[in-house]
Amino acid sequence: MNYNNTDFNNKTILITGGAGFIGSNLAFYFQENFPASNIIIFDCFRSESIFSNGNLQSFGHYKNLIGFKGKIICGNINNLNNLSLLSEYKFDYIFHQAAISDTRVYDQTIVMETNINSFYNLLNIAKKNNAAMIYASSGATYGSMPSPQTEGHESPENPYGFSKLMMDQIASQYSFKNPEMVIVGLRYFNVYGPREFFKGNTSSMVIQLGHQILAGKEPRLFKGSDKILRDFIYIDDVIQANIKACTPKKNGVYNVGTGVPRSFQDIADILQQELGTNFETQYFSNPYDGYQMHTQADISSSTKNLGFQSQISLEKGISAYIPEIKCLNGTKNK
Ligand SMILES: NC(=O)c1ccc[n+]([C@@H]2O[C@H](COP(=O)([O-])OP(=O)(O)OC[C@H]3O[C@@H](n4cnc5c(N)ncnc54)[C@H](O)[C@@H]3O)[C@@H](O)[C@H]2O)c1
């Protein structure tokens, strides 16, 4: 699938976080559609270190990259020696996805160090290489701002969302000082799709509910889930946004959502329809404070400046995802 006329063949592409969900999908997109592209993945993969919330410190997994034919560098973006391994390449594009992607990590030191400090170094690498920098921001920058969430109106409610907002500010200042560079931030909303499984309990509710249902269990949702609305976006639309971000009308940070809020109940219902089941939903109390109750990306600026528009409804995305959900059912997340 080509989203525009950019030819990535014979281009050198760095994907940080390429062993993770979105990064590995980007890698396979380039490999399949631009076989002469030179793809380099930089990722620390998973160690056995965990945060106090019980989740792994990084989710990268070799199984996301089975069949990948490009180069892999195992390294930590926080480590300058590791980053120096990139100096032998001349990059045309950098897709910076590596981050602590877990929104419930409250060790502020490591979140800020990983998501903010490393960004300065990666921007400097982009500048030195004259490479376009497309980086992952997040809908978490908005916190509980009323819908539709619009660029310029942020109020993060966790260290993760704050770190991403700081990246946006750094990018904006860097772009101001270096107007010849392409620097685009993409605020992904709730992404779902193949290769997210190894994010464990931080993966989307689509795969988590899918596996509950396939295990013969009733889908479990927070009370009032028909009124908790989110902007769920399928991975292919996220790839589209990354490709279009390489040729923006202007640098900036742009929302990447469908623009259509849907409920968690919708996900459970669509899954049941796809899987041919008819369980009663089980409801339980939401234990979280500051839970986002309604997200809906305003994508007018993304459409105007990137030409981005979501093409995949929740129904279509879940349907395309079902074979992988079935295939991974019962697999150990190790
Ligand atoms: N998936 C979503 O819904 C979503 C939404 C908003 C923003 N994002 C952002 O998109 C990007 C990709 O997210 P994802 O869902 O693919 O998450 P992911 O956790 O699957 O991918 C992140 C990758 O970064 C790697 N990584 C983490 N710390 C690293 C470090 N110090 N050095 C090198 N590599 C490191 C991990 O091993 C992992 O492979 C992240 O920046 C995330 O914050 C994702």
Side-chain angles (χ1 to χ4, degrees):
M1 163 77 94
N2 280 3
Y3 294 109
N4 60 24
N5 293 331
T6 311
D7 184 1
F8 293 93
N9 280 313
N10 302 310
K11 300 293 183 198
T12 302
I13 299 167
L14 170 63
I15 304 173
T16 72
F21 168 34
I22 296 171
S24 60
N25 278 287
L26 273 168
F28 281 102
Y29 172 80
F30 289 118
Q31 178 168 301
E32 282 155 21
N33 293 279
F34 300 97
S37 59
N38 181 22
I39 311 161
I40 290 104
I41 282 175
F42 185 92
D43 198 301
C44 64
F45 289 75
R46 60 182 54 196
S47 65
E48 291 179 337
S49 310
I50 54 167
F51 287 120
S52 60
N53 66 7
N55 292 337
L56 285 171
Q57 292 205 355
S58 54
F59 296 117
H61 201 301
Y62 76 90
K63 285 191 180 166
N64 285 332
L65 291 172
I66 287 177
F68 175 62
K69 299 188 178 76
K71 297 189 184 71
I72 291 175
I73 298 173
C74 181
N76 193 315
I77 50 171
N78 296 329
N79 182 317
L80 280 175
N81 277 338
N82 288 178
L83 282 180
S84 73
L85 296 170
L86 297 173
S87 59
E88 68 173 272
Y89 298 97
K90 169 85 184 74
F91 299 111
D92 298 294
Y93 297 94
I94 298 178
F95 295 90
H96 175 38
Q97 309 300 313
I100 290 177
S101 63
D102 183 344
T103 58
R104 296 193 188 281
V105 173
Y106 296 102
D107 177 340
Q108 300 190 17
T109 311
I110 190 162
V111 173
M112 304 310 164
E113 184 186 19
T114 308
N115 296 1
I116 301 177
N117 289 12
S118 62
F119 193 40
Y120 292 105
N121 297 322
L122 285 156
L123 280 167
N124 289 338
I125 293 174
K127 183 177 175 179
K128 201 170 133 215
N129 284 258
N130 199 18
M133 162 62 84
I134 315 301
Y135 70 93
S137 178
S138 172
T141 52
Y142 295 112
S144 294
M145 290 300 280
S147 287
Q149 286 77 30
T150 307
E151 299 91 338
H153 303 272
E154 298 82 8
S155 180
E157 285 182 11
N158 53 38
Y160 168 82
F162 177 82
S163 73
K164 292 287 181 179
L165 183 58
M166 291 306 104
M167 287 177 73
D168 297 337
Q169 290 183 11
I170 292 162
S172 163
Q173 286 154 10
Y174 208 92
S175 179
F176 184 74
K177 285 192 190 136
N178 300 280
E180 74 291 353
M181 287 179 74
V182 169
I183 305 177
V184 173
L186 297 175
R187 283 194 181 150
Y188 310 143
F189 277 59
N190 283 64
V191 191
Y192 66 98
R195 300 193 179 92
E196 67 167 313
F197 176 69
F198 292 105
K199 291 178 70 175
N201 64 20
T202 75
S203 61
S204 76
M205 286 310 289
V206 176
I207 190 159
Q208 295 194 45
L209 288 170
H211 284 165
Q212 277 172 32
I213 295 167
L214 283 169
K217 296 183 190 145
E218 296 155 330
R220 296 188 77 235
L221 292 175
F222 294 152
K223 279 183 196 144
S225 276
D226 54 332
K227 293 184 189 64
I228 306 178
L229 304 188
R230 291 279 168 88
D231 194 324
F232 300 104
I233 181 146
Y234 192 59
I235 183 68
D236 289 11
D237 274 338
V238 168
I239 303 298
Q240 180 210 150
N242 274 274
I243 300 309
K244 291 187 170 166
C246 295
T247 49
K249 282 208 178 114
K250 60 175 189 176
N251 286 348
V253 59
Y254 298 105
N255 286 341
V256 177
T258 59
V260 182
R262 300 293 300 267
S263 70
F264 285 103
Q265 189 69 58
D266 285 339
I267 292 182
D269 294 347
I270 298 167
L271 280 165
Q272 294 231 60
Q273 203 166 353
E274 286 287 335
L275 296 171
T277 55
N278 197 14
F279 296 115
E280 288 288 320
T281 307
Q282 242 188 49
Y283 298 101
F284 64 106
S285 300
N286 182 348
Y288 299 118
D289 285 337
Y291 196 73
Q292 285 178 309
M293 294 302 284
H294 194 292
T295 68
Q296 175 182 11
D298 174 353
I299 57 164
S300 53
S301 174
S302 323
T303 304
K304 184 171 161 216
N305 294 305
L306 305 181
F308 167 77
Q309 200 137 36
S310 158
Q311 295 170 354
I312 302 163
S313 65
L314 188 61
E315 282 76 4
K316 272 196 184 162
I318 291 180
S319 172
Y321 191 13
I322 288 288
E324 162 133 339
I325 294 176
K326 281 187 176 164
C327 178
L328 287 168
N329 187 36
T331 306
K332 289 227 162 36
N333 192 332
K334 277 196 167 175

